Amino acid sequence: MEVPVQRNAEAGAAAECGELADPAFWRQPPQARLDAFARLRALGSPVYVPEGRGRGHWALLRHADVQEASRLPKVFASAPGVTTPEPARWVRALFGDSMVNLDGADHARLRKVVQRAFTPRLLAAAEADVHAVAARIVDDVLAERPDEFVSAVSSRLPLEVICNMMGIPERYRPEIADRVNHASENIGVERGLASRLRMPGRGLRALARMQRMVAAIGRERRRNPGDDLISALVCANVDGQALGARQLGAFFSLLMVAGVETTRNAITHGLSLLTDHPGQRDLLLGDFEAYADGAVDEMIRHSTPIIQFRRTVAAEHELGGRLFRPGEKVVLYYASANRDEAVFPDPDAFDITRSPNPHLGFGGGGPHFCLGAHLARVEMKALFRELLTRPVGLRAVGLPDLAGSNFDNRVRSLRFAFDAPGDA
């Protein structure tokens, strides 16, 4: 039987290494956070993190523990929500449940509809489009010579690819880009009292506008279906199921916020990593096709775009030397698992030849493994091929401006410059 002394000791260790529930911890330099994770992993068991008012969660920090919990959805449930804090009931009622927050039959049914909509023809067209969009973006960069990477490059690629795949008309895209930024700008970031009290809040208003927009497109596609993903989703007939307006809106929001933001951040961190490690950049340039896949996976491992997801214990289970009980909260810290010394030798090194590289950047497996993993890899590889093999090279200037989020490794901006002769 667990005794309070054990919990207090573990809570003390968490506080000593940097309180994971304290926003100040996430404003520290990245290496300081990684060092704290390493000290916590060395404890050899899950760590209790108090969140105030008698609440708290158990932090899973080791690769094996995060992976095991990910593959036991009947024990470690995604409902009522995977973010910290969990979505309020009224928010779920208004916007519908995102697939990422569903379990069991509800999740399987929705995922099946979505997977059937991703036909081989649609995926082939999307991959061809990725290469065309990447080339066009780099053409624009070389012609216009901007100096901020997120707005000019890394946010454009996933946004344009997903909008093309979904069949979003051009006239809606500037507003969608703006709404995506507003919907995600404060996730996991400490805000002042005035900002927290705004109801329903800038992010929720942006989400509502975005969902109304896609619902209107969905209604039109039911009448006049095309070859795009929205048509496939609203006209699907998987066991009599297609996506209704709220389900379509929730899926679109997930795809835009998760698919755009995560890939954008991985690309941005990737440029910064290649700049900071010129030997690795030279190795990649020496034989791009031989090293590109490994480079993409190492960028994702090293940056870990999604830092953590939350779970609620649904059934008694022993993991990592501790017995978990129903109702307890668990957080899967992918950012820590991806630096686990037991799995990744010299984990803080950026090594594009790392093999094997069983990173958890797309989740730890199980039914919630990222649907967009393949597309994200294709996007990153295509863009870095264009960025690195053109006559004019690019490099990051200074450090990325990080959001200080406890949820995702978000980059607000990154300055960059050209390396070609005469451009320095």
Side-chain angles (χ1 to χ4, degrees), residues 42-82:
L43 297 174
S45 62
V47 176
Y48 183 75
V49 180
E51 296 176 3
R53 297 183 180 179
R55 298 175 301 171
H57 69 260
W58 289 92
L60 300 187
L61 299 150
R62 297 183 300 176
H63 187 281
D65 293 346
V66 171
Q67 191 170 60
E68 181 176 344
S70 300
R71 297 177 179 185
L72 294 172
K74 292 182 180 179
V75 176
F76 298 97
S78 296
V82 300

Side-chain angles (χ1 to χ4, degrees), residues 339-353:
R339 300 297 179 103
D340 191 338
E341 305 83 353
V343 178
F344 304 103
D346 195 6
D348 290 340
F350 176 65
D351 179 7
I352 67 172
T353 68

Side-chain angles (χ1 to χ4, degrees), residues 280 290-291 293-295 297-298 301 343-346 349-359:
Q280 295 294 298
Y291 293 108
D293 291 335
D297 273 322
E298 182 68 346
R301 181 196 73 86
V343 178
F344 304 103
D346 195 6
F350 176 65
D351 179 7
I352 67 172
T353 68
R354 189 181 295 276
S355 181
N357 190 352
H359 67 81

Side-chain angles (χ1 to χ4, degrees), residues 29 113 127 138 174 220 250 363 372:
V113 172
E127 287 199 27
V138 177
E220 191 277 328

